Amino acid sequence: MAKKLTLLDLLPVTAPGILTDAMKQDMQKYLSTDTQVIHTQIPNGPITIECEYDEAFSAPEVVKLAVSTAAERPIDGIFVNCFGDPGVRPTREKITLPVFGGFEPAIYLALGLGDKVGIVTVMKNVVPMIDAAISRAGLKRRVTSVRTLNMPVLELQDHEKLMTNLYQECKKAIEEDHVSVLVMGCTGIVGINAEMVNRLRKDGYDIPVLEAAQCTMTLLELYAKMGLYQSRETYMEPPKKG
């Protein structure tokens, strides 16, 4: 009998009530029914992450909470719930488990679906973070467009405004940037893919739209099932000091 998995959803922000029941259901949509997801949130740090300044204050709290949670209870994988991946790389050095933020899984899955990938994110302040992640992954020739909604994270629960702005930017990414796959560049953009795919099809564009949180949880579960975690040749254990 296959082992039942427990995945940790770690919110790297302090905004109260930012993770709704609808968001939980959406990110767990494609998981096995016997996979358990537990949710936790850093006690100190930025309210939201919308720039590298925010990310820098979030990362130490992410590492501390991930390490302490993994020491307290058995878990099989960690999702740092942000497209900016705060604290992901140092957490990988400390923990022998698969650890992902929102960026890599969504991009990995998108690359198998089309030649040119476009990202739509929240605000222009986030773009340098995403550009740096694209460059670090060596994907500048494949991930060719980053567009913004001009909406802060805390406004994303305004579904009507979100869909209006998102539709406009998705169309521009297709028509002006010639992308063939769209990735949502914020894990707070949820519950939109089916509606957006249908709206774009009515305009004659049959392309995939990927939500980062769904992609991450699904890939994280797969890695955990396969017993995979990040290479110790890349993510070496921190040297002992003192």
Side-chain angles (χ1 to χ4, degrees):
M1 181 180 296
K3 174 189 173 185
K4 292 184 179 181
L5 301 175
T6 299
L7 305 180
L8 177 66
D9 168 36
L10 193 162
L11 272 71
V13 297
T14 59
I18 196 168
L19 183 65
T20 65
D21 289 340
M23 292 173 71
K24 292 177 185 178
Q25 293 172 8
D26 196 67
M27 75 169 70
Q28 296 168 211
K29 183 176 180 179
Y30 300 109
L31 299 183
S32 302
T33 55
D34 59 352
T35 294
Q36 178 187 17
V37 179
I38 56 176
H39 306 276
T40 189
Q41 188 169 8
I42 60 172
N44 303 296
I47 294 175
T48 59
I49 295 177
E50 293 167 338
C51 61
E52 295 204 35
Y53 182 86
D54 293 336
E55 184 179 5
F57 280 92
S58 171
E61 296 295 325
V62 167
V63 178
K64 286 192 289 185
L65 184 54
V67 172
S68 64
T69 305
E72 291 167 0
R73 61 180 301 170
I75 56 176
D76 301 289
I78 298 175
F79 170 31
V80 180
N81 196 333
C82 176
F83 199 77
D85 296 357
V88 166
R89 293 180 69 88
T91 300
R92 288 171 172 173
E93 293 181 348
K94 287 291 290 182
I95 295 178
T96 308
L97 292 171
V99 180
F100 283 112
F103 174 80
E104 290 173 313
I107 297 300
Y108 294 163
L109 293 175
L111 291 171
L113 299 172
D115 288 336
K116 291 187 177 181
V117 177
I119 297 172
V120 182
T121 190
V122 284
M123 300 171 66
K124 65 180 182 180
N125 307 65
V126 180
V127 174
M129 297 165 58
I130 293 177
D131 283 341
I134 294 168
S135 296
R136 185 172 59 243
L139 294 173
K140 294 186 75 171
R141 296 181 64 180
R142 296 286 306 278
V143 186
T144 58
S145 170
V146 182
R147 289 187 168 269
T148 63
L149 301 174
N150 194 30
M151 290 179 68
V153 171
L154 294 180
E155 289 186 9
L156 294 178
Q157 294 184 27
D158 183 343
H159 188 73
E160 184 176 350
K161 181 178 180 180
L162 171 61
M163 292 305 297
T164 297
N165 291 10
L166 189 58
Y167 173 68
Q168 293 173 351
E169 295 307 320
C170 285
K171 277 202 70 175
K172 289 178 184 177
I174 297 167
E175 295 174 348
E176 299 177 17
D177 305 336
H178 310 293
V179 305
S180 50
V181 186
L182 287 162
V183 169
M184 301 300 97
C186 175
T187 58
I189 302 176
V190 300
I192 60 86
N193 53 358
E195 182 178 349
M196 189 54 57
V197 166
N198 288 334
R199 290 186 67 170
L200 292 172
R201 280 178 181 163
K202 290 178 181 178
D203 293 329
Y205 303 115
D206 188 5
I207 73 170
V209 177
L210 303 181
E211 295 179 17
Q214 285 182 349
C215 292
T216 302
M217 292 299 280
T218 304
L219 190 62
L220 187 62
E221 181 187 57
L222 176 62
Y223 273 45
K225 284 182 177 178
M226 297 177 68
L228 298 173
Y229 54 86
Q230 284 77 22
S231 169
R232 282 297 176 215
E233 289 300 308
T234 297
Y235 301 97
M236 303 177 192
E237 293 185 26
K240 291 181 172 56
K241 300 178 181 179

